[in-house]
């Protein structure tokens, strides 16, 4: 479990020399260990989900085929389109998140320059110049935030709200295109199956991602716990990119202030 791995990691850390430990901040080590242990805690559940979900998806598709026949293909087509579009929208949101962060750092840096040299700014009459620069950066930052929200709204529609659209299109295809009788019992059962199928289809990529992260975390922890091979340099060299980006953001904010 994650708790057992965390105890083993900190136990191994206590066995290292003072010179090795002093090269790293305590918060940095805790962040590494805590992140890896949390990922390892999800290893078993992700492996089970990744193993069973394909059979569950096939079973649900088979049951849905018994109810709406060829209209099941419409649901699968809509899912493929929605999943691809949600991935594209997610990348668009990440892109404008990065741009917004850059604008925020630039605005904080410029504002810090004004506050530290406020006497010089007022004495030389630079108030309007800095005001115009701050307004321009703030407008650009708000515009990037608006675009980020637009992309995120598309992600929500294509991942969560798409189940209602899928069910509606399947109903239309089954009745109008394939000529099936619109019976209330069949439509209600189809709607239930569509909700379950939607949940399983979108949960499968997430289970794969968690399993991949847990596997890499397990390899890092195993290398660190191995006798004679557990060095802190291995942990830092193979640290997740999330921590690296977090450190870069912290350094940027520190320099700006």
């Amino acid at each position: 479990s994650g708790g057992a791995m965390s105890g083993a990691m900190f136990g191994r850390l206590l066995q290292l020399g003072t010179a090795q430990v002093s090269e790293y901040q305590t918060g940095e080590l805790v962040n590494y260990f805590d992140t890896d242990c949390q990922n390892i805690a999800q290893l078993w559940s992700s492996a089970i989900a990744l193993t069973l979900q394909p059979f569950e998806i096939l079973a649900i598709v088979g049951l849905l085929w018994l109810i709406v026949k060829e209209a099941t293909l419409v649901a699968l087509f809509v899912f493929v389109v929605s999943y691809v579009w949600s991935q594209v929208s997610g990348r668009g949101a990440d892109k404008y998140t990065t741009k917004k962060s850059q604008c925020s750092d630039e605005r904080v840096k410029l504002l810090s320059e004004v506050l530290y040299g406020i006497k010089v700014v007022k004495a030389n009459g630079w108030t309007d110049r800095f005001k115009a620069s701050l307004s321009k950066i703030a407008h650009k930052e708000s515009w990037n935030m608006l675009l980020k929200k637009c992309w995120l709204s598309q992600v929500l529609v294509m991942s969560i709200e798409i189940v209602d659209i899928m069910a509606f299109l399947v109903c239309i295809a089954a009745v109008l295109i394939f000529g099936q009788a619109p019976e209330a019992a069949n439509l209600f059962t189809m709607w239930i199956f569509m909700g379950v199928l939607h949940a399983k289809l979108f949960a499968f990529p997430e289970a794969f991602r968690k399993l991949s992260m847990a596997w890499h975390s397990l390899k890092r922890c195993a290398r660190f716990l191995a006798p004679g091979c557990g060095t802190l340099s291995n942990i830092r060299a193979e640290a997740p990119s999330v921590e690296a980006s977090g450190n870069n953001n912290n350094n940027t904010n520190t320099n700006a202030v």
Side-chain angles (χ1 to χ4, degrees), residues 53-191:
Q53 280 182 0
F55 300 100
E56 294 175 351
I57 292 173
L58 292 176
I60 296 171
V61 170
L63 293 174
L64 194 61
W65 186 275
L66 294 177
I67 298 174
V68 293
K69 305 298 181 182
E70 295 86 354
T72 306
L73 300 177
V74 177
L76 298 178
F77 175 77
V78 173
F79 163 74
V80 172
V81 174
S82 63
Y83 181 77
V84 172
W85 186 252
S86 65
Q87 295 297 313
V88 173
S89 301
R91 292 183 180 181
D94 292 339
K95 174 183 176 181
Y96 286 103
T97 299
T98 303
K99 290 185 176 181
K100 177 188 172 299
S101 300
Q102 293 174 353
C103 292
S104 299
D105 293 340
E106 186 177 356
R107 177 174 54 83
V108 171
K109 181 179 179 181
L110 183 60
L111 186 60
S112 299
E113 293 178 358
V114 174
L115 293 178
Y116 280 122
I118 188 65
K119 294 182 179 180
V120 178
V121 171
K122 289 185 176 181
N124 291 278
W126 295 342
T127 305
D128 295 336
R129 182 184 303 176
F130 278 99
K131 180 180 179 181
S133 299
L134 286 172
S135 299
K136 182 179 179 180
I137 297 174
H139 176 73
K140 186 178 179 181
E141 181 182 359
S142 61
W143 178 249
N144 288 326
M145 172 61 74
L146 180 61
L147 293 176
K148 173 189 172 182
K149 290 182 177 179
C150 291
W151 283 110
L152 286 177
S153 63
Q154 296 184 42
V155 173
L156 293 176
V157 171
M158 290 297 171
S159 59
I160 299 177
E161 305 297 336
I162 196 64
V163 60
D164 296 326
I165 300 176
M166 290 172 62
F168 176 74
L169 293 177
V170 170
C171 290
I172 295 298
V175 175
L176 298 182
I177 299 177
F178 299 105
Q180 300 180 16
E183 298 180 1
N186 290 340
L187 294 180
F188 179 78
T189 306
M190 180 273 300
W191 208 283

